[in-house]
Amino acid sequence: MKLENIFNEYLTRSEQIIISQKATKEIAKSEIEKLIKLKEKTELKLSENKSNHTTYFFFIQDAKTGEIERYSTNKKTLEDKIKDVFLQQNRQYQWALSESYEIFKDYVISIYAYMGFTDRNKWPLKDFGTILFSELENKNFDYFIKQAQIKKDIPESILNRIRATYPEYKIIESNNKLEKNLLLEIILIEHLRHLIVHCQGMTTDKTGIINNILKKAGLWNNGKNNENYDYISSFFGVKSLNNTINLLEIEQQNETGFPNKYFDVLGNLINSLTSVSYLIYSEIKKETSG
């Protein structure tokens, strides 16, 4: 297995996430535009005493009798429907981030397998399992993949090994031209992914989650680092969505006060993972070509 192939596979899979994000955004935009037009038409007809509500009926089938009974009725306004579109878009963005993190983990595993396959000294002895060192000569790349996959605390344990093996990676991780703490980004995404997969993207203890992220990233500082706290908090919604992960684009205004562009929250997080992946690739490639 070539190093370039590992990195290219990661890029290909990540590109599909970005393409999917753009498609999701366009679908949501189109649906909202339709609802806004419908809302305008409905408001013109309100003088005729016509309702702007849509009623939804929900049914349940009794397994004993086979009969179908209505168990709920839900009335939604057009404003409710617009909000639902945004919520659904956000939920799809959450799953996109989760998938992006899984792709990153797969990449880190493959990279670690490559490290052990090309230089056995880069792995601690425990990672080889019970095999005799003399037997490694006959092992192919798949063996190293399988051993890397059973390593505990992935990707953290592998990234720690990379930091120890490639000191410059560790330096650039926290001091770079992107002005990002990439270690914090990885840990942040890891925690967001956990909430997305296990808690529907919500938490009952946002403060505790943020503090755990800061502690794991070595940025706790007794809770006094408001800049990092506020940064992590910005990935949650406001008001009724205060405890919900919000990855939708943020509208930004220019000096005239008019909106001129959007900040791509999800795309920025995915780019952080891509930057880390490229940095790892570059450090290993520099060593092998040097």
Side-chain angles (χ1 to χ4, degrees), residues 63-265:
K64 290 183 179 180
T65 65
E67 295 180 354
I68 298 176
E69 297 182 10
R70 190 172 77 193
Y71 70 89
S72 179
T73 302
N74 194 327
K75 287 186 177 182
K76 284 187 177 288
T77 64
L78 287 169
E79 289 84 355
D80 292 331
K81 292 181 181 179
I82 292 173
K83 181 179 179 180
D84 285 344
V85 173
F86 279 122
L87 289 174
Q88 180 60 26
Q89 181 187 1
N90 185 52
R91 188 61 179 152
Q92 289 179 288
Y93 276 20
Q94 289 178 359
W95 281 112
L97 179 64
S98 177
E99 187 175 352
S100 183
Y101 181 73
E102 294 301 324
I103 292 171
F104 174 73
K105 282 178 63 177
D106 289 344
Y107 169 75
V108 169
I109 288 171
S110 295
I111 280 292
Y112 192 60
Y114 177 85
M115 288 169 59
F117 181 63
T118 55
D119 186 350
R120 286 169 289 183
N121 293 321
K122 287 188 170 63
W123 276 26
L125 289 176
K126 63 180 180 179
D127 286 358
F128 292 104
T130 58
I131 192 173
L132 295 176
F133 209 66
S134 59
E135 296 176 321
L136 290 175
E137 292 292 340
N138 300 321
K139 296 300 181 182
N140 58 21
F141 186 72
D142 288 340
Y143 163 81
F144 288 88
I145 284 286
K146 291 176 181 177
Q147 290 301 118
Q149 288 172 336
I150 62 175
K151 193 171 175 65
K152 293 181 179 180
D153 300 323
I154 299 172
E156 182 180 5
S157 59
I158 294 177
L159 291 174
N160 283 336
R161 191 66 182 176
I162 290 173
R163 292 181 187 107
T165 307
Y166 304 98
E168 191 168 357
Y169 167 83
K170 183 177 181 179
I171 295 171
I172 298 175
E173 189 178 45
S174 58
N175 184 14
N176 52 70
K177 296 293 184 179
L178 304 177
E179 297 183 352
K180 286 183 179 182
N181 186 322
L182 295 174
L183 171 60
L184 174 61
E185 295 284 299
I186 295 170
I187 295 171
L188 166 64
I189 296 170
E190 174 193 7
H191 280 71
L192 294 180
R193 178 259 173 203
H194 180 85
L195 291 177
I196 291 165
V197 173
H198 299 286
C199 307
Q200 295 183 308
M202 297 180 288
T203 179
T204 57
D205 184 17
K206 186 174 76 172
T207 298
I209 291 290
I210 295 174
N211 288 340
N212 285 339
I213 293 171
L214 291 172
K215 289 175 182 178
K216 194 169 182 180
L219 299 171
W220 169 235
N221 195 25
N222 294 320
K224 297 178 181 179
N225 195 329
N226 292 328
E227 182 179 348
N228 287 317
Y229 187 98
D230 292 344
Y231 172 67
I232 299 170
S233 182
S234 71
F235 291 96
F236 292 85
V238 296
K239 297 182 180 178
S240 63
L241 299 176
N242 182 55
N243 293 313
T244 300
I245 296 170
N246 181 17
L247 301 177
L248 296 179
E249 292 83 2
I250 299 174
E251 188 177 86
Q252 295 181 316
Q253 297 180 338
N254 56 26
E255 61 275 6
T256 65
F258 292 100
N260 65 335
K261 62 179 180 178
Y262 290 86
F263 178 71
D264 187 355
V265 178

